[in-house]
Amino acid sequence: MIVETKEDGFLLLKDQDSFDPKMIFECGQAFNWTKEEDESYTTCAFSKILNVKKEGKDIILSTNREDFENLWMDYFDLQTNYEKIKSNLLIDETMDAAISYGHGIRILNQDPYETIISFIISANNRINQIKNSISLISKYYGTYIGTYRGKDYYNFPSVEVLAQADPQDLRKYCKVGFRDTRIVEASKEILKWDSSFDDLMDLPREELKDLLMSLAGVGPKVSDCIILFAFKDKSAFPVDVWIKRVMENLYLDGETISQKKVADFGREKFGPYAGVAQQYLFYYGRENAIGVQK
DNA sequence: GTCCAGGCCAGAC
DNA sequence: GTCTGGCCTGGA
């Protein structure tokens, strides 16, 4: 990968086929990116504000080399070779179509705690409402980091802060609805864990899944999302209504089967990169409304 | 006004 | 174990 420092100090990643901001931030894995008028995207993570812009086949990051190497390289999963994953997943015409449609998707390595809370909020909720709630939680409970293009950015609060939050406040000010107590309860439970999130990275997948599912508001689908988007395990295959519809329509001849069976089917079919396949299929299916009744 | 979303949970079989 | 209904909120 060729990384150049531009005249303004920002970084330029040359010739990135597997890095498309729209695809990365709109395939359902992250809720903390703001789309700007020039089609670039901005977030706040690691107490830093970052803007990402695509120019032709190049990507421009508003950061310096030090932060890039220490933080963003891992966040954007840049050590992973997506060309290799793609060729591994090119097993049929469906995947061929899904991969070419979402060729610029990458799996972000996000903060575990923020990811846990984000996907607890995602249950039976719309993307825009999820984004809005995350943003409000950061605003009311996080710390101010800075202002970028007129918008204020805040760090996502720590587990200690939300463990002490009043559920009614969360509901009233952050519009989380019935997920209010789940957020506080899950935070309290996490505080009781002996292991840090770093330690948990090495846990066997099934153990990690059981541990996550013991949290309030975390079931089969949400735990798979957390494992895929924050614990770097690309074999997790989260099944939501979209993936269920896509799989039933494109692989099961329209037959309706349970969520669990779709999950087993997906893991079996796509193996160690099932989670990446899920993202290609999700983006492909959702953008093209595959299986949605008219 | 009515409907229900990128699931979870409790309660009933 | 598998299935069902209810859940905040707000946009269609």
Side-chain angles (χ1 to χ4, degrees):
Chain A
M1 183 177 58
I2 301 169
V3 183
E4 295 175 2
T5 304
K6 295 173 62 210
E7 285 178 10
D8 56 12
F10 291 166
L11 294 188
L12 188 146
L13 314 185
K14 289 288 279 181
D15 219 16
Q16 298 287 311
D17 183 54
S18 300
F19 194 140
D20 186 294
K22 178 180 189 299
M23 297 177 191
I24 293 172
F25 307 132
E26 295 187 15
C27 65
Q29 60 177 320
F31 305 105
N32 53 1
W33 285 85
T34 305
K35 187 178 186 178
E36 308 284 2
E37 284 181 2
D38 64 355
E39 308 286 304
S40 70
Y41 289 79
T42 308
T43 194
C44 177
F46 312 114
S47 302
K48 315 256 181 200
I49 295 170
L50 180 74
N51 178 262
V52 180
K53 187 168 174 24
K54 182 177 166 67
E55 277 194 7
K57 298 204 76 178
D58 303 334
I59 297 295
I60 296 166
L61 303 176
S62 68
T63 185
N64 57 46
R65 199 166 280 265
E66 188 187 351
D67 284 348
F68 175 71
E69 283 170 6
N70 292 334
L71 308 171
W72 304 113
M73 179 100 97
D74 180 61
Y75 178 88
F76 286 109
D77 203 25
L78 288 166
Q79 299 94 329
T80 299
N81 183 344
Y82 278 77
E83 305 311 319
K84 202 171 146 192
I85 293 179
K86 286 174 186 171
S87 64
N88 185 289
L89 288 176
L90 268 176
I91 53 175
D92 54 34
E93 289 177 5
T94 297
M95 284 310 295
D96 191 359
I99 289 173
S100 32
Y101 189 81
H103 62 92
I105 288 174
R106 314 182 70 77
I107 307 286
L108 300 174
N109 294 313
Q110 305 183 66
D111 174 71
Y113 178 60
E114 180 172 352
T115 305
I116 290 170
I117 300 303
S118 298
F119 281 93
I120 287 175
I121 292 171
S122 78
N124 196 28
N125 205 350
R126 288 194 168 84
I127 290 185
N128 281 337
Q129 290 182 239
I130 304 167
K131 285 184 176 174
N132 188 234
S133 288
I134 304 291
S135 165
L136 289 168
I137 288 176
S138 299
K139 181 179 173 185
Y140 285 110
Y141 296 94
T143 46
Y144 174 73
I145 298 301
T147 302
Y148 183 84
R149 299 195 195 186
K151 182 175 166 19
D152 293 340
Y153 284 87
Y154 302 81
N155 256 0
F156 194 79
S158 69
V159 55
E160 287 84 2
V161 169
L162 288 187
Q164 291 171 21
D166 180 353
Q168 293 189 348
D169 286 345
L170 275 169
R171 180 177 290 220
K172 187 173 173 189
Y173 299 114
C174 305
K175 310 294 178 190
V176 299
F178 58 83
R179 308 157 194 88
D180 55 356
T181 50
R182 297 178 180 177
I183 293 169
V184 177
E185 287 309 310
S187 301
K188 286 179 176 167
E189 291 165 43
I190 291 170
L191 278 181
K192 289 189 222 155
W193 289 355
D194 326 309
S195 318
S196 68
F197 288 126
D198 276 344
D199 297 337
L200 295 177
M201 295 272 174
D202 303 323
L203 216 59
R205 211 190 78 96
E206 284 307 316
E207 274 181 56
L208 178 59
K209 178 151 177 152
D210 287 344
L211 182 64
L212 291 169
M213 294 226 315
S214 72
L215 295 174
V218 179
K221 187 267 178 181
V222 168
S223 60
D224 276 333
C225 284
I226 297 166
I227 290 170
L228 178 59
F229 302 134
F231 286 92
K232 307 187 178 187
D233 184 345
K234 292 183 168 58
S235 68
F237 190 79
V239 178
D240 53 48
V241 293
W242 285 99
I243 280 298
K244 190 165 179 295
R245 277 197 289 257
V246 169
M247 296 299 284
E248 286 167 352
N249 274 274
L250 302 182
Y251 282 108
L252 300 163
D253 208 21
E255 183 192 354
T256 302
I257 63 173
S258 72
Q259 175 181 328
K260 181 174 169 3
K261 283 185 176 167
V262 177
D264 293 341
F265 181 84
R267 276 200 303 276
E268 173 77 14
K269 187 159 195 66
F270 302 117
Y273 300 119
V276 190
Q278 191 267 12
Q279 289 292 278
Y280 291 129
L281 288 166
F282 176 89
Y283 186 71
Y284 181 60
R286 185 162 178 272
E287 299 279 318
N288 297 293
I290 289 174
V292 177
Q293 292 181 356
K294 293 165 201 138

